[in-house]
Amino acid sequence: MLAPSVARSSSQLPARALGALLALGLLATQLVSAPTVQAGGGNGLRDAANGYRLQAGLNPVVGTALLDDIATRRADDMAARDELEHDMDYVRNRFAAADLCWTRFGEIIAWSPGDREYSFAHTLDQWWNSDVHRTIFMGASYQAAGGAWEGADGGGNYSVMIFVALCGNDVPTLAYGQTPFTDVASSPFRQDIEWLYLNEITTGCTVSTFCPTAGVTRAQMASFLDRQLGLANASRDWFDDDDGLVHEGAINRVAEAGITSGCGDGRFCPNGGVTREQMASFLVRAKGLSAGAGTDLFDDDDRSRHELDIDRLAYGGITSGCAVRRYCPSGGVTREQMAAFLRRAFGS
């Protein structure tokens, strides 16, 4: 059986240097009831923590979108795997991607049974009545905190709180829109990549990188569109050359939705690179664009079988080409460029 709750803390001295990880404790008993707080994710958990902190004469912790997003990703991950486990490296990577200067942070996690209202109170009871959890809950140096919980398919709820002590009490630096990616700081498409990540269209090419200049494969394109559109499961296996691939389900779903017919002879060519002209047809079909065909906005696509879709994409404001009157139809598409195309197509 899963342990009800776990706590860990980490410090850095000097700022941004990785400190030693201290594994604290396990379990808790229900001796003192938590204050009555309306269940509400990060806000509800913070309100409860601040109730205790104010009674003890401590400063309240401030809620930030960045910390709530980190806690949400952690809770989602544990719920998906149905496993209670810390991931301090993930938290550190998110801080590094945000260029956040911190001196100490602590993470407390829990699994609790029952419905949402019971689980919320049960979690707070566990944390408050455990010395190691309460040490983080009541840490005098913490100025900010994020929180979240997520229901697991197997039942019960996973809860996460992350408390942070910042350099110079600089709480306003916790801006929303950061990713765990350490390789996008110089990308001209950084905001588009952040949009892609925050809308759960990508998780990157590794836990901490996006690989912005790598080319987009047809299989990856299928997954991008599948996640954006939330497509229904396919009724059959559409292609013979994608069996066992992690993207196979997405490929079948975009085929069933009429977004692709493959590359011929019952194949999808999943590892092939996406060209700019192919990308135009993928996006036009996914968006259902019809206006603009025949406007002939570019001079270098006259021999492309995707010409009408290129016109539709440009007419819809999703592309302006690669130069004046040029679209560069046979050119490849990088992952950072695809982020921009997807945001223009589907972003608000």
Side-chain angles (χ1 to χ4, degrees):
M1 175 177 285
L2 294 173
S5 56
V6 186
R8 284 186 181 176
S9 66
S10 186
S11 301
Q12 66 171 30
L13 292 172
R16 295 191 180 93
L18 293 181
L21 181 65
L22 173 63
L24 296 177
L26 300 174
L27 303 177
T29 56
Q30 291 186 328
L31 302 176
V32 180
S33 294
T36 301
V37 180
Q38 183 179 1
N43 287 333
L45 294 172
R46 265 191 306 276
D47 287 346
N50 284 333
Y52 289 125
R53 293 173 68 87
L54 290 172
Q55 289 177 17
L58 298 172
N59 63 286
V61 286
V62 176
T64 73
L66 173 63
L67 293 181
D68 277 347
D69 184 63
I70 295 172
T72 297
R73 306 285 175 168
R74 290 281 299 111
D76 286 345
D77 178 64
M78 288 190 294
R81 293 183 293 108
D82 205 9
E83 183 177 356
L84 191 72
E85 184 178 27
H86 285 289
D87 191 346
M88 307 300 270
D89 286 340
Y90 173 79
V91 179
R92 286 196 192 89
N93 286 337
R94 291 296 304 270
F95 289 173
D99 196 27
L100 181 68
C101 183
W102 54 275
T103 59
R104 183 177 180 83
F105 76 89
E107 178 185 79
I108 54 177
I109 60 178
W111 175 85
S112 292
D115 60 26
R116 197 171 179 85
E117 183 176 354
Y118 170 81
S119 180
F120 182 78
H122 184 258
T123 294
L124 292 174
D125 282 344
Q126 291 184 85
W127 286 342
W128 179 248
N129 291 295
S130 164
D131 290 342
V132 291
H133 294 81
R134 191 168 59 249
T135 297
I136 293 178
F137 218 58
M138 302 289 282
S141 63
Y142 295 133
Q143 307 113 318
W149 74 79
E150 183 69 31
D153 290 341
N157 296 274
Y158 285 89
S159 304
V160 178
M161 284 199 78
I162 297 168
F163 293 82
V164 184
L166 300 163
C167 304
N169 198 33
D170 196 13
V171 175
T173 64
L174 290 171
Y176 187 52
Q178 303 297 336
T179 73
F181 307 135
T182 59
D183 59 349
V184 300
S186 61
S187 172
F189 303 99
R190 179 171 180 172
Q191 290 184 338
D192 301 307
I193 295 167
E194 290 175 347
W195 177 86
L196 206 70
Y197 173 78
L198 293 169
N199 284 276
E200 300 184 347
I201 301 170
T202 185
T203 56
C205 58
T206 71
V207 172
S208 60
T209 59
F210 180 73
C211 303
T213 59
V216 176
T217 68
R218 290 170 55 85
Q220 292 168 347
M221 184 77 205
S223 286
F224 284 146
L225 293 174
D226 177 50
R227 292 168 191 152
Q228 168 60 42
L229 299 172
L231 298 174
N233 287 333
S235 61
R236 66 183 181 90
D237 184 8
W238 283 78
F239 304 107
D240 300 326
D241 60 347
D242 62 350
D243 293 344
L245 295 181
V246 68
H247 301 281
E248 182 180 7
I251 292 168
N252 285 327
R253 287 188 285 271
V254 296
E256 187 135 323
I259 298 171
T260 183
S261 57
C263 60
D265 299 324
R267 298 178 302 120
F268 183 72
C269 303
N271 296 321
V274 175
T275 63
R276 289 172 58 87
E277 60 186 354
Q278 292 169 347
M279 180 270 302
S281 291
F282 275 124
L283 291 179
V284 163
R285 294 168 192 156
K287 286 282 292 181
L289 300 176
S290 57
T295 51
D296 197 18
L297 297 171
F298 304 106
D299 298 328
D300 61 346
D301 63 349
D302 292 344
R303 296 183 178 181
S304 171
R305 65 187 181 92
H306 301 274
E307 182 180 6
L308 295 181
D309 284 336
I310 293 171
D311 289 342
R312 293 182 180 106
L313 201 70
Y315 187 84
I318 299 170
T319 184
S320 57
C322 61
V324 176
R325 297 287 303 176
R326 296 184 62 235
Y327 182 72
C328 303
S330 59
V333 182
T334 65
R335 288 170 59 86
E336 61 183 358
Q337 291 168 344
M338 184 57 70
F341 281 123
L342 288 168
R343 187 183 182 193
R344 292 174 202 153
F346 299 103
S348 55

